[in-house]
């Protein structure tokens, strides 16, 4: 990756436990999220262009919990975040055939990576689990540090030991 004048504006953030020291960490059940990011190619390499986050809801799976108002009775997941992100650097290639992102989609987008980081940190706590395919790329694009992940590209390998592509 090339370094440029924008590099100093981009920082990694780490998930944390919400609440105070008075509140035991076990008071909130861990949540499970599925994450996917789409990137575009810029002079500095891949940059975030879209992030999607789905929360698996246990609330409709058992009788003990009240059903989350965002989830219909027959559903077990809810989209909590699906946003386009304006790359900081000029886009060289939208990689539309892979990302589905086009120049017209990003034309009037004002959301930056920092806005997404704030939203993610408000949703995801350190004990939550993130599931995704090749998550190292998504977490790097998000500049997000999170320790509890399930990467399907590692868990599910072809008979030759190589990653499946999606």
């Amino acid at each position: 990756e090339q370094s440029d004048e924008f590099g100093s504006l981009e920082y990694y953030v780490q998930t944390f436990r919400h609440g105070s020291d008075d509140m035991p960490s076990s008071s909130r059940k861990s949540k499970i999220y599925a994450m996917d990011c789409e990137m575009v190619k810029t002079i500095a390499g891949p940059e975030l262009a879209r992030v999607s986050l789905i929360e698996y809801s246990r609330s409709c799976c058992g009788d003990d919990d009240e059903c989350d108002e965002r989830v219909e009775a027959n559903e077990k997941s809810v989209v909590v975040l699906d946003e386009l992100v304006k790359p900081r650097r000029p886009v060289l290639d939208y990689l539309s055939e892979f990302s589905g992102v086009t120049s017209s989609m990003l034309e009037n987008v004002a959301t930056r990576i920092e806005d997404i980081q704030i939203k993610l940190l408000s949703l995801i706590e350190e004990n939550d689990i993130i599931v995704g395919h090749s998550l190292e790329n998504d977490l790097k694009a998000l500049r997000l540090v999170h320790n509890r992940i399930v990467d399907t590209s590692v868990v599910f390998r072809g008979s030759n030991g190589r990653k499946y592509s999606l």
Side-chain angles (χ1 to χ4, degrees):
E1 279 183 40
Q2 285 181 297
S3 124
D4 60 2
E5 73 266 21
F6 297 116
S8 63
L9 299 175
E10 296 171 340
Y11 296 96
Y12 275 81
V13 295
Q14 184 167 357
T15 55
F16 57 93
R17 184 175 61 87
H18 299 181
S20 66
D21 291 335
D22 298 339
M23 182 174 40
S25 58
S26 61
S27 66
R28 177 186 170 276
K29 289 183 181 177
S30 294
K31 295 182 179 182
I32 301 171
Y33 294 98
M35 176 185 284
D36 188 39
C37 293
E38 302 302 334
M39 277 68 90
V40 294
K41 183 179 177 184
T42 70
I43 59 166
E47 279 194 56
L48 185 66
R50 183 177 192 162
V51 59
S52 302
L53 188 70
I54 297 172
E55 179 185 340
Y56 171 76
S57 176
R58 295 183 185 128
S59 60
C60 293
C61 299
D63 297 330
D64 297 342
D65 297 328
E66 293 181 27
C67 195
D68 188 318
E69 67 275 359
R70 299 171 299 171
V71 181
E72 292 184 27
N74 62 344
E75 293 184 11
K76 293 189 173 92
S77 63
V78 62
V79 176
V80 291
L81 185 66
D82 187 17
E83 288 202 38
L84 293 168
V85 182
K86 184 81 166 182
R88 206 168 286 288
R89 298 160 189 86
V91 176
L92 302 175
D93 187 348
Y94 287 88
L95 307 170
S96 299
E97 64 275 16
F98 305 108
S99 69
V101 176
T102 63
S103 60
S104 61
M105 289 171 70
L106 295 180
E107 200 171 290
N108 296 315
V109 173
T111 304
R112 294 286 189 175
I113 187 172
E114 296 84 7
D115 303 313
I116 296 301
Q117 288 174 323
I118 290 168
K119 288 180 183 184
L120 290 173
L121 290 176
S122 73
L123 293 166
I124 302 170
E125 293 193 23
E126 67 183 0
N127 289 327
D128 294 338
I129 298 167
I130 300 175
V131 179
H133 190 80
S134 295
L135 275 174
E136 75 275 9
N137 298 319
D138 293 351
L139 294 173
K140 185 175 180 181
L142 288 163
R143 306 232 184 305
L144 180 68
V145 176
H146 186 75
N147 294 323
R148 298 191 70 197
I149 66 167
V150 176
D151 191 327
T152 60
S153 72
V154 174
V155 175
F156 303 105
R157 295 271 180 166
S159 58
N160 59 2
R162 297 186 66 191
K163 289 182 183 181
Y164 287 111
S165 62
L166 294 181

